[in-house]
Amino acid sequence: MKGLPIIDLAIIFIYLVGMILVGVYFSRKNKNSEQFTKASGLIPGWAIGLSIYATFLSSNTFLGVPGKAFGGNWNAFVFSISMPLAAWIASKYFVPFYRNTGEISAYTHLENRFGAWARVYAVICFLLTQLARMGSIFFGIALSLQALTGYSMQMIMIVMGICIIIYTVLGGIEAVIWTEVVQAVVKTLGALLILYLIITNMPGGVSKIVEIGKSANKFSLGSLKFDFANSSFWVVLLYGFFINLNNFGMDQNYIQRYHTASSNAAASKSIWLCVWLYVPASLLFFIIGSCLYAFYNVHPELVEVIKHQVAIERLPIHSSATKILEVQNALQPSDYGDKIMPHFMVTKIPIGLVGLIVSAILSAAMSTISSGMNASATVFSVDIYKRYFKPNVTDKQNLSLLHVATIGFGLLGMIAGIAMIGVKSILDVWWELSGIFAAGMLGLFLLGIISKKTKNHEAIIATMIGIAVIIWLTLSALLPSEYEMFRNPLHKNMTIVIGTLTIFLMGITLTKFKNRKLTS
């Protein structure tokens, strides 16, 4: 399209201005760093729960999940099924642990437990994870809005980034949480509206969608065989459990929210509210993906239009029509799944409603990015600047630092998003990167909190071995064919599972060996 109708642009503009005004409103309260990072511990549990839910329900879910379901099946939904167990562990052990320490950073206790190196390592892993998360979300929102507006993806990321930076810097964590409460409602209603529009545009309605979905095996959760080389049910279940354990136990985005609650009970309830909202919401997006598959199945001419666009994007400028057609015919549904939702919005959603749905997608992106910016700035302030550069920084100086760091991480997130332009699946790239960066710090955290006898020396060795294993799991696929026997035989989503267990089990083994040697 050349551009959205005026009414849709007006709705989007009003939404963006509204988010900025929220930041302006809360800026009156942000007179110190504690208010900026903790909101003085006065946020109600239900608001925190909606905020965590909104952070989970990012544009990766809004765009990536329907694309994943379109190109495959409901295998990735198993990730959501794993959440209740991780939430139970977090509410029972992690919430009391963090709130009792009183430390705003999730990583301060690692230094107390093992030394400065452990804190630095976890901080690096966290910041890399945040850049990957923000980058994938910037990319996802730009992918959608490019189809709707015709503007370049780089331009969209810059404009969006500026808006997010403004309200996050002005409002602090309180603005982030309360805007996420609004965004949680907006994005959920937006998803329901999209589902309604697909069904009403579908010849044969729900029964035809179910018929086509069953024939194409679109509702499968994956193979139940104990196959860890492919994306089986068990691989996604394990991946989901370990990632969610990391989210609830090591991710500053969530740890920081525990401190904004008025009590341990309120913080724990916020986790459960997030789970009970996110599991059905994520299922809703898989249903949307299956509905889109059915809709485009009965409109194959529209699929060819999308495939043609993807083929042009993948080829150099001025490629021949023959080459374009060759690439177009070779494309599989998984190659263009992320393009389906934007195309449906462009062609089938009435004027006025497009603006509302785009606002929902924007809210999905903005909530997670703003949360990541605030958490990253907090970690940089507490774990890096105050720890190594200026321990006696005044509160006024610290607040200024938080503002500058928030802007800096917002800009880095935009750069990461621009670097991701051209990836095949938003969800795949986010899952892979998060698994790589989260594996090490989760293993170290579990070792420190469970194995009380493990000391600095054993933790260092276990972490070094774990890093080596993670590097091998990640990069061994690049080995030449003559060294194929040394390649990682497991699915890439197993990286966080193997990496975490390597550090944790190796640390316990070394501790037992040392204790046995001392007593012999």
Side-chain angles (χ1 to χ4, degrees):
M1 288 182 66
K2 294 181 180 179
L4 289 174
I6 295 297
I7 187 172
D8 291 309
L9 290 174
I11 292 171
I12 297 169
F13 178 77
I14 290 170
Y15 173 78
L16 291 175
V17 171
M19 291 297 100
I20 292 174
L21 290 177
V22 169
V24 173
Y25 173 79
F26 284 108
S27 66
R28 298 176 302 174
K29 299 182 179 182
N30 277 314
K31 304 305 180 184
N32 57 67
S33 58
E34 183 182 13
Q35 178 65 31
F36 189 89
T37 57
K38 292 185 180 181
S40 300
L42 299 175
I43 304 294
W46 65 267
I48 299 170
L50 284 174
S51 172
I52 297 174
Y53 161 69
T55 302
F56 264 99
L57 198 63
S58 66
S59 59
N60 288 346
T61 303
F62 216 104
L63 297 169
V65 167
K68 195 72 173 171
F70 179 93
N73 51 32
W74 289 6
N75 176 232
F77 177 64
V78 180
F79 174 93
S80 301
I81 297 175
S82 71
M83 285 185 70
L85 179 57
W88 179 81
I89 295 173
S91 62
K92 187 174 178 62
Y93 299 105
F94 297 162
V95 168
F97 172 77
Y98 281 114
R99 285 182 60 86
N100 290 340
T101 65
E103 298 287 352
I104 185 62
S105 169
Y107 314 113
T108 305
H109 78 280
L110 284 176
E111 179 172 3
N112 298 333
R113 186 71 178 80
F114 296 126
W117 69 270
R119 184 178 184 178
V120 170
Y121 173 65
V123 166
I124 292 173
C125 288
F126 169 75
L127 293 178
L128 289 174
T129 303
Q130 291 310 297
L131 290 179
R133 173 183 281 157
M134 290 190 287
S136 65
I137 292 168
F138 268 119
F139 168 65
I141 192 65
L143 185 69
S144 178
L145 294 187
Q146 182 192 42
L148 291 165
T149 65
Y151 294 116
S152 71
M153 295 178 73
Q154 292 90 336
M155 178 61 69
I156 292 168
M157 290 186 204
I158 291 171
V159 173
M160 284 299 309
I162 291 172
C163 292
I164 298 170
I165 287 171
I166 290 174
Y167 88 75
T168 306
V169 169
L170 290 176
I173 189 65
E174 191 168 7
V176 169
I177 289 176
W178 285 112
T179 53
E180 285 178 337
V181 170
V182 176
Q183 291 162 350
V185 177
V186 170
K187 65 182 69 173
T188 305
L189 293 177
L192 290 170
L193 179 58
I194 291 173
L195 179 61
Y196 169 78
L197 292 170
I198 298 172
I199 293 174
T200 54
N201 279 277
M202 177 69 189
V206 175
S207 59
K208 187 64 175 177
I209 291 172
V210 173
E211 178 189 331
I212 294 174
K214 283 184 176 179
S215 64
N217 198 33
K218 285 294 171 182
F219 307 127
S220 170
L221 295 178
S223 171
L224 292 176
K225 293 181 180 178
F226 289 102
D227 176 11
F228 299 102
N230 300 293
S231 187
S232 64
F233 176 93
W234 304 109
V235 165
V236 179
L237 186 70
L238 286 170
Y239 171 84
F241 172 71
F242 278 83
I243 279 290
N244 284 315
L245 202 62
N246 178 76
N247 288 337
F248 292 133
M250 282 294 293
D251 194 316
Q252 180 69 23
N253 285 290
Y254 307 98
I255 308 307
Q256 198 163 333
R257 281 162 174 73
Y258 302 160
H259 290 288
T260 65
S262 57
S263 65
N264 287 3
S268 295
K269 287 178 181 178
S270 71
I271 295 176
W272 283 112
L273 178 59
C274 165
V275 171
W276 301 136
L277 288 173
Y278 182 77
V279 172
S282 65
L283 178 60
L284 172 62
F285 284 98
F286 281 98
I287 293 172
I288 289 173
S290 297
C291 289
L292 285 170
Y293 178 85
F295 176 81
Y296 282 91
N297 185 268
V298 299
H299 293 290
E301 71 282 0
L302 298 179
V303 175
E304 293 306 315
V305 172
I306 298 171
K307 291 170 66 176
H308 183 72
Q309 293 172 344
V310 173
I312 291 175
E313 291 174 4
R314 292 193 175 188
L315 290 170
I317 300 175
H318 306 308
S319 295
S320 66
T322 303
K323 184 63 176 177
I324 293 173
L325 184 61
E326 179 184 331
V327 173
Q328 179 178 329
N329 292 334
L331 291 173
Q332 300 299 314
S334 58
D335 295 320
Y336 52 87
D338 287 345
K339 300 282 188 179
I340 293 298
M341 178 87 88
H343 183 271
F344 182 83
M345 292 170 62
V346 170
T347 57
K348 297 300 177 182
I349 295 180
I351 293 175
L353 292 181
V354 176
L356 292 173
I357 292 175
V358 170
S359 296
I361 297 176
L362 287 175
S363 71
M366 294 173 77
S367 61
T368 308
I369 293 173
S370 61
S371 176
M373 288 164 53
N374 187 279
S376 298
T378 301
V379 166
F380 178 80
S381 167
V382 175
D383 295 294
I384 298 177
Y385 188 80
K386 291 175 69 174
R387 173 64 178 82
Y388 294 103
F389 296 100
K390 198 170 184 180
N392 298 320
V393 62
T394 66
D395 191 74
K396 184 177 180 180
Q397 291 172 332
N398 192 38
L399 185 59
S400 298
L401 173 66
L402 287 166
H403 290 162
V404 172
T406 300
I407 295 171
F409 284 108
L411 295 175
L412 288 174
M414 279 189 274
I415 294 171
I418 293 171
M420 290 182 186
I421 293 176
V423 301
K424 189 169 75 170
S425 169
I426 304 171
L427 197 62
D428 282 348
V429 71
W430 162 235
W431 277 21
E432 184 172 0
L433 290 175
S434 62
I436 293 169
F437 298 140
M441 61 177 178
L442 178 60
L444 186 60
F445 170 72
L446 293 177
L447 181 63
I449 201 171
I450 295 174
S451 180
K452 302 297 184 182
K453 294 182 179 180
T454 301
K455 304 301 181 184
N456 180 39
H457 184 68
E458 299 84 63
I460 289 178
I461 297 175
T463 301
M464 291 176 64
I465 294 172
I467 292 173
V469 170
I470 293 168
I471 292 173
W472 171 72
L473 290 169
T474 306
L475 301 179
S476 62
L478 302 177
L479 290 172
S481 56
E482 57 264 32
Y483 300 106
E484 186 176 356
M485 66 182 71
F486 298 109
R487 291 177 182 171
N488 171 23
L490 302 174
H491 190 272
K492 58 188 177 183
N493 287 344
M494 289 295 291
T495 299
I496 186 171
V497 179
I498 303 301
T500 298
L501 291 177
T502 298
I503 294 176
F504 176 68
L505 296 177
M506 185 58 66
I508 288 179
T509 301
L510 291 171
T511 301
K512 289 185 176 180
F513 178 78
K514 176 185 176 182
N515 292 339
R516 187 178 301 171
K517 189 175 181 181
L518 290 173
T519 56
S520 61

